[in-house]
Amino acid sequence: MKQELGVCYYPEHWPEDMWAKDAADMVAAGIRWVRIGEFAWSRMEAVPGQVTLEWLDRAIGTLGAAGLKVVLGTPTATPPRWMVDKHPDMLAVDENGAPRKFGSRRHYCFSHQGYRDECARITQIVAERYGKNPHVVAWQTDNEYGCHDTVISYSETAKMAFQSWCRDRYETVEALNEAWGNIFWSMDYASFEQIELPNLTVTDPNPAHVLAFRRFSSDQVVAFNKVQTEILKAHTDAPLIHNYMGRILEFDHFDVGEDLDIASWDSYPIGFLSDRLEASDEHKARFLRQGDPDMQAFHHDLYRAVGKGRWWVMEQQPGPVNWAPYNPAPLPGMVALWALEAFAHGAEVVSYFRWRQAPFAQEQMHAGLQAPDGREAPGMDEARAVADVLDMLKEQDTQQADVALVYDYASDWAWKTQPQGAGFDYFRLVFAAYRGLRRAGLSVDFVSTNCRAFSGYKAVFAPGVATLDPTLVSAISEAGALAVLGPRAGAITDEFMIPPNGRPGVSNLDVRVDLIESLPPHAGMDVSGGGKVEHWHERLSGAAEVFLKTQDGAPVLMGQNDRWYLGSFPDEALWDRVVSMACEQAGVVMAPMQDGVRRRRFGDYDFVVNYNSFSASVQGHRVPACGVLVFEGGAPVVACDLSSG
Amino acid sequence: MKQELGVCYYPEHWPEDMWAKDAADMVAAGIRWVRIGEFAWSRMEAVPGQVTLEWLDRAIGTLGAAGLKVVLGTPTATPPRWMVDKHPDMLAVDENGAPRKFGSRRHYCFSHQGYRDECARITQIVAERYGKNPHVVAWQTDNEYGCHDTVISYSETAKMAFQSWCRDRYETVEALNEAWGNIFWSMDYASFEQIELPNLTVTDPNPAHVLAFRRFSSDQVVAFNKVQTEILKAHTDAPLIHNYMGRILEFDHFDVGEDLDIASWDSYPIGFLSDRLEASDEHKARFLRQGDPDMQAFHHDLYRAVGKGRWWVMEQQPGPVNWAPYNPAPLPGMVALWALEAFAHGAEVVSYFRWRQAPFAQEQMHAGLQAPDGREAPGMDEARAVADVLDMLKEQDTQQADVALVYDYASDWAWKTQPQGAGFDYFRLVFAAYRGLRRAGLSVDFVSTNCRAFSGYKAVFAPGVATLDPTLVSAISEAGALAVLGPRAGAITDEFMIPPNGRPGVSNLDVRVDLIESLPPHAGMDVSGGGKVEHWHERLSGAAEVFLKTQDGAPVLMGQNDRWYLGSFPDEALWDRVVSMACEQAGVVMAPMQDGVRRRRFGDYDFVVNYNSFSASVQGHRVPACGVLVFEGGAPVVACDLSSG
Amino acid sequence: MKQELGVCYYPEHWPEDMWAKDAADMVAAGIRWVRIGEFAWSRMEAVPGQVTLEWLDRAIGTLGAAGLKVVLGTPTATPPRWMVDKHPDMLAVDENGAPRKFGSRRHYCFSHQGYRDECARITQIVAERYGKNPHVVAWQTDNEYGCHDTVISYSETAKMAFQSWCRDRYETVEALNEAWGNIFWSMDYASFEQIELPNLTVTDPNPAHVLAFRRFSSDQVVAFNKVQTEILKAHTDAPLIHNYMGRILEFDHFDVGEDLDIASWDSYPIGFLSDRLEASDEHKARFLRQGDPDMQAFHHDLYRAVGKGRWWVMEQQPGPVNWAPYNPAPLPGMVALWALEAFAHGAEVVSYFRWRQAPFAQEQMHAGLQAPDGREAPGMDEARAVADVLDMLKEQDTQQADVALVYDYASDWAWKTQPQGAGFDYFRLVFAAYRGLRRAGLSVDFVSTNCRAFSGYKAVFAPGVATLDPTLVSAISEAGALAVLGPRAGAITDEFMIPPNGRPGVSNLDVRVDLIESLPPHAGMDVSGGGKVEHWHERLSGAAEVFLKTQDGAPVLMGQNDRWYLGSFPDEALWDRVVSMACEQAGVVMAPMQDGVRRRRFGDYDFVVNYNSFSASVQGHRVPACGVLVFEGGAPVVACDLSSG
């Protein structure tokens, strides 16, 4: 597999006479791909119906002539101002009932048919014009679905679409009432038209109602995206991509991914550490200028699954950003490390965002590879270093890992709807499991709950999977893998009810959840032999063997044959024990890593990345601070060391 | 007085063929009462005007046939969806102006006449049908008035009703302007129609305006309830009950209680500890699985007063609940302890909520005596143990306590309107006083500010009573009791003005408040001899004797004859001193309790409850962890010990 | 310059037969000025068009007859209720879109032309009637512009006025698009009518859009005030004043000040400490009953500049107030100290708020010089003590300081719009600089960015000035003063873009900002030799000399000739070093002060104030706790010591 660098570029932001030099400079820096166009609707169609694409023809021509491969974005994330005049009801509505106004981006409700038609129209126009253009080698749909909390909208448009969605799913309103348990507080509906969106209720709405609305909202994203992919596929053979974000769970990325060829994501390690990660102050201070050592890898592995094996980093942080609460600069080496780590996880392209820092508008404090005045920013040299490392490595392909981790968006919707304890969060749980596997030095594959092909895996972890399809567990067993389920797995039916046959209700595993406790901070329970239970504890019974129990004797981990059930939310030390026991049982070889150092197998190579600000030692070899060491056959073959700045 | 167990049951949630066995199982578990019907309007009248009660006839018949006494609830807390179509303006409106929508419960504005008429209609229907039914032995109106912050509504309906209420109270708008001091910022009205509700003002609205609106809002609850009680009284002789909640102060429960025969409340000790109690982290951790040792007793005693001596626990927590931030499970013994403690305070019935955990809708994670699949949950055995203890005890009646505590809802409205210091809260103050009395081993009676019959009391505490009617103080004196007033007692007139003759303005008590300080956390003032002043300090002068003063010499407690004034908010140690000095003065015999252990005199018995997770010793006798020891004549006669679980 | 005491009085709150005695008592207490009328519109015009001013004639007559000089306020901060009926769209709208309703004060949108016309009308009426009245010796316009966050309104009225403002500024919408960089996310407008206000956008709006709206909002205040000053100037020669508040930066006070003769402000030291100052808990506890030692002086010096040399304290805290989160009482001596400190900074009048505590409405817990019942409150004696001290001192005039501090409201608008780091705040930065200068014992003058007359200054500090006009820096140099610029000075153009020639872009100063980091709490960087960088760090390069650097070698303070650039946000210790280095360079003589003690040169006197609750020693002389010592020629000549209470 060929692996290359890219960059994001906005020709519409710069005088046309700068384009050719920019393109040449990109190529000189080792860049091969350039993404353009995704925010340019107001230049493509400043007046409704008057399409002006000559400038884009020239931009693509100039970039292509320099040898760059163009990724062209549909501009639908930034509808122009006239669109809102034309479709005043296209705006999303927040949970308090306020419209989310024009003036930034993503100001549309996914359910709005009129806006979908406009998107189809502009997509048709660019697809017809550039579908066969030799320089346009890939396409991006829209931009960062779900960013700025834009999946869920409480608009009138969304309400009517939801009613229609309910009609399709339940056929009769009696069936819906039964499915949701609406008898509970006299919440029965007499018709689909009576169904409101579940915001602004006096107290909690019915969780089945909310879950249905969350499913609907996710489906709208899928449908919105599909409008574009169907048009694009009719006009081009180039791969279709979307650039997802980090820790966005409001829509099912696997579903969107079905209609695309490649998954990509926008990786901002330092912004994410500050903005969207639960961690101790000490941890955040330690990795302040590096980002969390597992957050990027987690998403790399996740989006590899979403992309059915093919994935990119579409936007890679190149320096300080503007949008997190605090925005420090990366330590020397990190801008290169992040890209190399992505390649180690199998990225085809890593594309820096952006070529040149814009001196105006919202992101003027967001670094680029160039400063606003065209001087090189610190990231440029690091990009060059990455290109050099790529040149030194042989092409490789991603191989299957020993361990798989089930990831399920609907489980997050369920547990956000009814967390039962303020400390319980689905992502937090899965991320904790992933960290534990990575501390053990393991490479990890993600799978969706629709996966039934587990051949080759030795162990499969399924924490927090709300609804457990028996065929999922059977498929794991049939593949000869150990299934480690829980906590809170199999806890509800598809319609958010407690399963009639008890939890988790897994055949050939005599474990039963009798009672559940959610726990406040610092009320953890010690586990015999080490580690603690935090946040969540299920009281387990049954004939299965008890592998771990609290000091008070309550079972924590039970199992039978190749099916284990973990009833509690482990702290780090306990996760290490669970992972270690599972690996031993499943025959997975561990290679425990020191804090901040991580390993990823990629073809013949073992990539070791060091997120620490000081050097580390791995197998007797020095891994530089914020650096990368690539092993082949146990010996280091390539190093990336920029720590001296 | 006969004391019995009950349970809450929802026949509409379960197949009819389960009802008879459920009823038999209830009886077998020692349960004698069953509450039904309060959320079933959509089954009683699925289509407007088409009443279907045959199922309810059969349910009542089945339960009654098994020997159970039925409490029938009016279903007005859960108006069906069609009601909102019929009366679109019936919804309450929050302080930001957003309607509080259908989709959960309590979605109505108390002021809405159309909805009141609908409530009268459905009440008339069930009263006519079941008023003489031999199995329906008590009635409940609506459900948990005020839960989910539903007393105060800023709807147009409420605004017009408030204008009308003002017209009734003040007669002329000039009188209202004068009463409220509207001249202050040119806030005078020229007509009642100009009066708006006091939300969304630029800065604080006039406190007199707010207090009037709070009075009005409370009166709407009283009027709403009265619509039902008047109809019920015309058709039944069975006692009428409402189930109040914990720490709800938005309406005057004494006023509602006037129209009812029995007060009841819904007691969720663990939920309340997590959700609505100021306490240190250490305290909350210590009583995490037991609940606060005074919170339940406080409400038991309060609702005994609200019920004019007759009171129940209508809903008793039987295991983990679903609605608090964190929901741990009760320690073994607590489910029994809570019920027995209620009986010790004179409850006629303690009714567990609910019989069987519902597997669907909002409360599916709320434990019952049975699990969703019908197996017994841990609470069932504890209920049986309570029934056994009841069998072993002789019937008793509640006797008057030595000490009374004045409780005044309007004072909370006043101090919420103008706290003057972020640390001042009326409930917090009264609860602190109550705790102090309980630490002294005293039984306590609550009285309203309308009470004038103090005969038999030796000491009456009145902390934070905003407006002191001189006849209240006189009545205390005439009864020969010591009055301990303050802090912040007599601080405003009935119309929220500073009293013209100074504070507290109590005759025969030469104490004057010259100046007031509110204090941030950790800025307390040490009191000579021990204890601290926190949150609130009044600078006192006058010829009365100074009993306590700060180390800087500022008076804290002053008094003359049988009238004492406390000018500051005491911490625990200072409360202990104040209580001790007052008891000595008043001739009240104390029996200081160790932390977590509480005593309640009930007829011939002394109940000692131990909220600790370890055993305690009282008078040389072991009180088990989470257990109860009943003394008679100084000797233990019955114990409840389930701590081995 | 004559310096005198005043008081705020509300004849409309009290029976007319009390006025004469009140006036006599004021005079007896040493008071010479009385402010009246600013909230009395509902008494001046209870019915639209029916003006009743006879009561005010009598009030002015009574006060004047007693020898008091009257400051008469226009009543426009409290439009009567009928005004809102007449102009229903006059209310401001908050950022969530909710109208800010009648019921308190300041319920108007500055942009509303109809309300401006009403203000012109009432101003015309009172100006005509009292413009030549011999007792009305000064005028106040409105009251506390901007208090309660009232400058910014998102009303329809404001939107249309903003569109018009944009049309005036940019002339064509293409110019506006270009100026704001609207191409960035397809945010271009096709007409001015399309421009919305920048609230409720999906994510951050364009900062250039926000900055324009903030400028517009400030301009509306200026225009609103000018309506009144133009009318008043036509009818009176008395000076025109407005009473500003503390730490209000939403409008440009210098611009408003251009149309007035005297600036005044309302000084509430204890309220501000609790309510609007970032400080450690330790600092807040230490000065709980005194107020921050620099907050008042800061505003005294600022408003002296806003008033072009003439300034007052229009409202001076006399005891506990009602509006802060916590409201403790001043320590004995503070009520006098605050007034004397103001006089030391050159105040012409210090006016206590208010004469008598009102027993009703919003401020009933706000102390006065008298208690509600007319007894003297503790502040009265302190006011008398101030009058005595004034009598003992010779008249003085304010002289120019050695050091100037540039203060720029637009910089706050810019950095609020795009803080880039949650710890960065413009006021916080300037106040930290001011504190540093005061710790060095220096008197300080404020200047606006429009100042070009720096003659006489030895050093000029300009921290955080968003846009640096080159002529400002030149003017400093031409005056022979040292310019200490930064951090974040010259960081954006007038239209919120990064300057094309780099930052800070100051001629003859070879310093360049290459990169910016914002830092979370506790992530500061140590500076070699002492002190720390907090919150904000610019990576500097260039040929200028490096005066200070971090322990890692990053430059912190650089300079060349008479132009220095500070790239980081210093902590206290580092500010002390920067100030000390600058003073040495500029030849400014320092006199370091101990914590809580401050010095101010005033004519021949040096005032030393001691904010501590314990006595201090200055030049071998004891300064009493909460007291003042006035030096002349190095020797103490007058002391104010009320600490014994």
Side-chain angles (χ1 to χ4, degrees), chain A residues 419-558:
Chain A
Q420 179 65 12
F424 191 95
D425 177 85
Y426 176 71
F427 180 89
R428 188 178 188 175
L429 174 65
V430 180
F431 191 59
Y434 182 82
R435 280 182 185 284
L437 295 169
R438 294 255 297 171
R439 282 193 300 272
L442 304 178
S443 295
V444 180
D445 287 346
F446 280 83
V447 295
S448 84
T449 52
N450 291 327
C451 179
R452 295 294 177 274
F454 290 97
S455 176
Y457 290 114
K458 295 178 175 169
V460 178
F461 286 74
V465 173
T467 304
L468 268 187
D469 186 326
T471 68
L472 172 71
V473 184
S474 305
I476 296 169
S477 293
E478 281 159 23
L482 173 69
V484 184
L485 312 170
R488 214 174 186 178
I492 57 169
T493 69
D494 200 40
E495 290 289 353
F496 219 124
M497 290 196 186
I498 297 178
N501 301 318
R503 310 174 176 182
V506 173
S507 63
N508 297 322
L509 175 63
D510 191 355
V511 172
R512 186 177 183 100
V513 176
D514 289 327
L515 189 132
I516 285 165
E517 293 198 291
S518 57
L519 303 174
H522 314 302
M525 297 153 72
D526 290 320
V527 173
S528 294
K532 268 176 182 285
V533 164
E534 295 179 325
H535 310 306
W536 187 265
H537 175 66
E538 298 170 5
R539 202 176 289 174
L540 305 180
S541 63
E545 190 179 350
V546 176
F547 300 128
L548 289 171
K549 55 188 174 184
T550 66
Q551 287 187 352
D552 292 342
V556 166
L557 179 67
M558 297 178 68

Side-chain angles (χ1 to χ4, degrees), chain B residues 180-181 183-189 194 196-197 199-207 418 420-423 488 492 496-498 500 503 512 514-521 523 525 536 539, chain C residues 12-13 39-43 78 80-81 85 98-107 148 150 288-289 320-322 325-329 354 357 359-365 372-373 375 378:
Chain B
W180 293 3
I183 180 58
F184 189 67
W185 281 341
S186 278
M187 297 176 293
D188 311 81
Y189 298 106
Q194 285 183 333
E196 308 240 23
L197 300 185
N199 64 322
L200 291 173
T201 52
V202 174
T203 182
D204 295 338
N206 191 328
Q418 195 164 81
Q420 179 66 10
R488 214 174 185 178
I492 56 170
F496 219 124
M497 290 197 186
I498 297 178
R503 309 174 176 181
R512 184 175 184 103
D514 290 325
L515 190 131
I516 284 164
E517 293 198 291
S518 58
L519 304 173
M525 298 153 74
W536 187 265
R539 201 176 289 175
Chain C
E12 69 272 25
H13 293 177
F39 297 134
W41 199 334
S42 75
R43 278 299 183 270
T78 51
R81 179 64 181 82
D85 285 338
R100 305 185 69 188
K101 289 166 52 181
F102 180 87
S104 59
R105 59 178 182 176
R106 304 208 54 69
H107 40 281
H148 319 308
T150 45
L288 179 67
R289 293 180 171 89
V321 298
N322 64 301
Y326 302 99
N327 296 293
R354 62 184 70 207
Q357 183 174 351
F360 49 79
Q362 280 91 332
E363 294 182 353
Q364 59 185 266
M365 298 292 278
D373 58 4
R375 291 181 310 144

Side-chain angles (χ1 to χ4, degrees), chain A residues 60-365:
Chain A
I60 291 170
T62 302
L63 295 164
L68 291 160
K69 290 173 274 193
V70 172
V71 185
L72 184 58
T74 64
T76 52
T78 51
R81 179 65 181 81
W82 54 259
M83 188 73 75
V84 183
D85 285 338
K86 199 169 167 188
H87 303 284
D89 61 347
M90 69 172 279
L91 300 177
V93 169
D94 71 19
E95 65 179 340
N96 299 313
R100 305 186 69 188
K101 290 167 51 182
F102 180 86
S104 59
R105 60 177 181 176
R106 302 207 55 68
H107 40 281
Y108 67 83
C109 180
F110 278 100
S111 303
H112 194 273
Q113 191 57 48
Y115 185 58
R116 279 195 201 169
D117 293 344
E118 300 276 359
C119 292
R121 190 177 56 77
I122 194 72
T123 301
Q124 180 82 21
I125 288 167
V126 292
E128 284 176 0
R129 191 169 187 119
Y130 303 110
K132 307 297 184 198
N133 185 307
H135 303 310
V136 178
V137 191
W139 289 78
Q140 176 183 300
T141 56
D142 201 277
N143 184 77
E144 294 178 352
Y145 290 138
C147 197
H148 319 309
D149 285 321
T150 46
V151 170
I152 296 170
S153 166
Y154 296 96
S155 67
E156 276 298 299
T157 294
K159 188 177 83 174
M160 286 187 300
F162 179 55
Q163 292 171 350
S164 172
W165 183 94
C166 286
R167 200 176 286 110
D168 289 347
R169 181 179 175 99
Y170 299 102
E171 297 186 355
T172 69
V173 78
E174 291 75 21
L176 178 148
N177 285 331
E178 182 71 21
W180 293 3
N182 277 338
I183 179 59
F184 190 66
W185 281 342
S186 279
M187 296 176 293
D188 311 81
Y189 298 106
S191 72
F192 287 104
E193 288 72 27
Q194 285 183 335
I195 300 173
E196 307 239 24
L197 300 186
N199 63 322
L200 291 172
T201 51
V202 174
T203 182
D204 295 338
N206 191 329
H209 184 180
V210 181
L211 183 59
F213 178 62
R214 298 296 301 268
R215 281 199 175 107
F216 155 82
S217 298
S218 176
D219 286 354
Q220 301 308 297
V221 179
V222 177
F224 181 93
N225 183 66
K226 201 183 190 80
V227 166
Q228 300 190 19
T229 58
E230 289 188 345
I231 293 167
L232 289 169
K233 286 173 184 171
H235 292 88
T236 185
D237 298 326
L240 308 185
I241 315 179
H242 178 74
N243 59 327
Y244 305 103
M245 266 300 257
R247 197 172 182 172
I248 296 274
L249 292 98
E250 285 80 7
F251 67 95
D252 192 319
H253 293 48
F254 292 113
D255 287 349
V256 170
E258 282 303 307
D259 297 317
L260 295 167
D261 302 296
I262 296 173
S264 76
W265 79 292
D266 297 346
S267 175
Y268 292 95
I270 292 178
F272 289 155
L273 180 83
S274 172
D275 191 46
R276 59 188 77 179
L277 200 65
E278 298 94 356
S280 67
D281 288 346
E282 186 190 3
H283 182 85
K284 290 203 173 191
R286 176 172 179 172
F287 296 108
L288 178 67
R289 292 180 171 89
Q290 303 104 295
D292 179 85
D294 294 304
M295 186 74 168
Q296 288 66 252
F298 181 96
H299 286 90
H300 296 338
D301 289 339
L302 171 61
Y303 289 121
R304 194 173 60 249
V306 168
K308 297 158 289 186
R310 298 194 62 185
W311 75 281
W312 297 14
V313 172
M314 188 63 90
E315 301 182 8
Q316 174 62 62
Q317 178 167 1
V321 299
N322 65 300
W323 46 264
Y326 302 98
N327 296 292
L331 288 180
M334 289 311 302
V335 170
L337 181 152
W338 295 327
L340 291 170
E341 184 181 33
F343 288 126
H345 285 257
E348 300 180 10
V349 174
V350 174
S351 170
Y352 286 103
F353 181 91
R354 61 184 70 204
W355 174 247
R356 185 185 304 113
Q357 184 174 349
F360 48 79
Q362 280 90 336
E363 293 181 353
Q364 59 185 264
M365 298 292 278

Side-chain angles (χ1 to χ4, degrees), chain A residues 10 12-13 39-43 46 75 78-82 84-85 94 98-108 147-148 150 285 288-289 319-330 353-354 357-367 371-373 375 378, chain C residues 96 154 178-190 193-209 418 420-423 488 491-492 496-503 512-523 525 535-536 539 541:
Chain A
Y10 298 90
E12 69 272 25
H13 292 177
F39 297 134
W41 198 334
S42 75
R43 279 298 183 271
T78 51
R81 179 65 181 81
W82 54 259
V84 183
D85 285 338
D94 71 19
R100 305 186 69 188
K101 290 167 51 182
F102 180 86
S104 59
R105 60 177 181 176
R106 302 207 55 68
H107 40 281
Y108 67 83
C147 197
H148 319 309
T150 46
L288 178 67
R289 292 180 171 89
V321 299
N322 65 300
W323 46 264
Y326 302 98
N327 296 292
F353 181 91
R354 61 184 70 204
Q357 184 174 349
F360 48 79
Q362 280 90 336
E363 293 181 353
Q364 59 185 264
M365 298 292 278
H366 190 305
D373 58 3
R375 292 181 308 145
Chain C
N96 299 312
Y154 297 95
E178 181 72 21
W180 293 4
N182 278 338
I183 180 58
F184 189 67
W185 281 342
S186 278
M187 296 176 294
D188 311 81
Y189 298 106
E193 288 71 27
Q194 285 183 335
I195 300 173
E196 307 240 24
L197 299 186
N199 64 321
L200 291 172
T201 52
V202 174
T203 181
D204 296 337
N206 190 329
H209 183 178
Q418 196 164 80
Q420 179 65 11
R488 214 174 187 180
I492 56 169
F496 219 123
M497 291 197 186
I498 296 178
N501 300 319
R503 309 174 176 183
R512 185 176 184 100
V513 176
D514 290 325
L515 190 131
I516 285 165
E517 294 198 291
S518 58
L519 303 174
H522 314 302
M525 299 153 71
H535 310 306
W536 187 265
R539 201 176 291 173
S541 63

Side-chain angles (χ1 to χ4, degrees), chain C residues 123-124 141 223 225-236 240 259:
Chain C
T123 301
Q124 180 82 21
T141 56
N225 184 65
K226 200 182 190 80
V227 166
Q228 300 190 19
T229 57
E230 289 188 346
I231 293 166
L232 290 169
K233 284 172 186 172
H235 293 85
T236 185
L240 308 186
D259 297 317

